[in-house]
Amino acid sequence: MTLDPQRTKAAGAAIVRYRDVVKRFGALQVLNGVTLSVHAGEVVCLIGPSGSGKSTLLRCTNGLEMLDGGAIEFEGTLLPRDERGLRAMRARMGMVFQSFELFPHLTAEGNVAEGPRSVLGMSTAAARARAAALLAKVGLADKLASYPSALSGGQQQRVAIARALAMEPDVMLFDEPTSALDPETIGEVLSVMKTLADEGMTMVVVTHEMSFARRVADWVAVFDAGRIIEQGPPRQIFDAPEVERTRDFLSHLGWSG
């Protein structure tokens, strides 16, 4: 089976390309020859059992982890290995983590304004205006002055999304953004992500939310033991998977199509 088959959906140029990516932690090989492309305007969801390498691939994408083999290209250029180059690249990638990673001493507005002000060199007034607009976009216009400790998990994650968007990234990386949330707030975050998808944001999403992947993704890659065992449009992966391991994984999650 071809690991990176031609897309059936008309898509823009490849924003991210993974070519035979290998990553080891000591004797443990976490990624073993991952090949995948992410095209402009696509939502690509990475699914599979915990520990199969999905989150590690995202951390390699923005240089939080260095590769042991293969290559990652971002907008046609190999990822830099020097810290200065990595900082410049990360400014064009938005990253949303499982655990929010907000600055506890800053308000919601302060968290969102910090990047544009300190990295992009925007004036304080312009950065605050951008923060206010983005917090309104994610449904938090009334929380500008709230500190993270006063926000629910879903609200904190929406602040984290607004903070990533404030840098006007070319691609958004989501690492299991709902895994730390209670069921009542998961929908808040997924709704914001769907809006971004509808607006054409390029997104790579590690998720266990199969309904979201089925409904929103343009492309789904199934991971197992550090490899992509199957990839394709969501209707193929969820309705007619070709690989038995994929069928087993979805069955254990109670997925019925």
Side-chain angles (χ1 to χ4, degrees):
M1 180 178 65
T2 303
L3 273 182
D4 191 20
Q6 181 66 40
R7 298 296 203 266
T8 56
K9 172 193 172 184
I15 296 290
V16 185
R17 287 191 185 275
Y18 304 93
R19 301 183 188 274
D20 296 318
V21 170
V22 173
K23 176 63 185 175
R24 303 183 190 91
F25 294 111
L28 178 64
Q29 186 149 327
V30 182
L31 296 172
N32 188 6
V34 171
T35 295
L36 176 70
S37 62
V38 180
H39 294 256
E42 282 189 326
V43 177
V44 175
C45 283
L46 314 182
I47 67 172
S50 297
S52 57
K54 308 180 300 296
S55 294
T56 299
L57 187 68
L58 280 199
R59 292 178 64 82
C60 290
T61 305
N62 70 353
L64 292 174
E65 301 287 353
M66 294 291 106
L67 301 185
D68 293 306
I72 300 176
E73 294 180 8
F74 176 56
E75 297 183 328
T77 302
L78 288 174
L79 294 194
R81 299 187 71 88
D82 63 290
E83 189 57 35
R84 182 177 180 181
L86 284 171
R87 283 199 303 269
M89 178 206 67
R90 287 177 186 138
R92 290 146 53 207
M93 291 184 181
M95 182 83 174
V96 178
F97 299 89
Q98 300 177 30
S99 54
F100 321 138
E101 304 290 342
L102 298 178
F103 297 116
H105 64 289
L106 296 179
T107 63
E109 180 188 65
N111 266 280
V112 179
E114 180 63 21
R117 187 186 60 78
S118 63
V119 178
L120 301 182
M122 292 180 68
S123 69
T124 297
R128 291 183 65 182
R130 179 175 291 186
L134 287 169
L135 287 168
K137 179 182 180 70
V138 300
L140 295 173
D142 60 338
K143 300 294 184 182
L144 273 69
S146 297
Y147 288 88
S149 60
L151 299 174
S152 70
Q155 290 170 335
Q156 289 185 61
Q157 194 61 293
R158 283 185 281 157
V159 173
I161 293 172
R163 180 180 62 181
L165 291 172
M167 299 296 289
E168 297 188 332
D170 296 329
V171 60
M172 287 281 286
L173 310 175
F174 292 88
D175 185 11
E176 297 191 38
T178 61
S179 66
L181 304 181
D182 60 68
E184 291 185 357
T185 57
I186 287 174
E188 301 173 2
V189 173
L190 295 180
S191 177
V192 170
M193 293 171 62
K194 186 178 186 308
T195 297
L196 295 178
D198 291 343
E199 293 173 351
M201 172 63 72
T202 307
M203 298 161 59
V204 185
V205 184
V206 174
T207 185
H208 290 290
E209 298 292 334
M210 297 299 107
S211 294
F212 174 85
R214 176 66 176 87
R215 186 175 73 255
V216 178
D218 299 297
W219 200 255
V220 178
V222 185
F223 279 66
D224 187 57
R227 297 179 181 272
I228 294 178
I229 58 172
E230 183 170 6
Q231 61 177 293
R235 64 181 179 276
Q236 171 198 318
I237 299 300
F238 291 101
D239 300 342
E242 299 174 355
V243 177
E244 183 177 358
R245 182 68 183 95
T246 302
R247 293 193 292 270
D248 289 344
F249 169 70
L250 293 173
S251 176
H252 287 149
L253 293 179
W255 179 262
S256 57

